[in-house]
Amino acid sequence: MGYEWLLSAAMNLNGGLTTDEVLRALADAPHRWVQAVFTKNGAPGLSVWTRTPAGTPILVVLRPLGGFDHQIVYAAPMTPDQVTAFEEWEANQ
């Protein structure tokens, strides 16, 4: 699976995240909670709930490009409510 960054997503990372950390989390994390999402206009995407190599819970939103390739359109640390939901999901894996 290949990833490319939407320029604005890469430039607007916050919470101390780096593009490299996000890519490593997508490639190497032992648990990834993947959910289908849709834009207001119905365009499909995926939300990936995972952890960075350092253990920080992050949320990444992907836009399919074709085949197995995706564009990263958003990446950020999870909110406290998201962390709670993710940790509950992790506990049941």
Side-chain angles (χ1 to χ4, degrees), residues 9 26 37 45-48 59-63 71-76:
L26 290 170
V37 294
L46 296 173
S47 69
V48 182
L59 175 62
V60 183
V61 178
L62 306 173
R63 181 176 73 89
Q71 183 177 51
I72 300 167
V73 298
Y74 175 83

Side-chain angles (χ1 to χ4, degrees), residues 23-67:
L23 291 172
R24 285 187 298 178
L26 290 170
D28 299 334
H31 296 103
R32 288 179 294 278
W33 188 13
V34 179
Q35 301 173 41
V37 294
F38 298 89
T39 67
K40 293 180 216 173
N41 297 329
L46 296 173
S47 69
V48 182
W49 301 46
T50 190
R51 290 184 183 273
T52 66
T56 303
I58 63 170
L59 175 62
V60 183
V61 178
L62 306 173
R63 181 176 73 89
L65 294 176

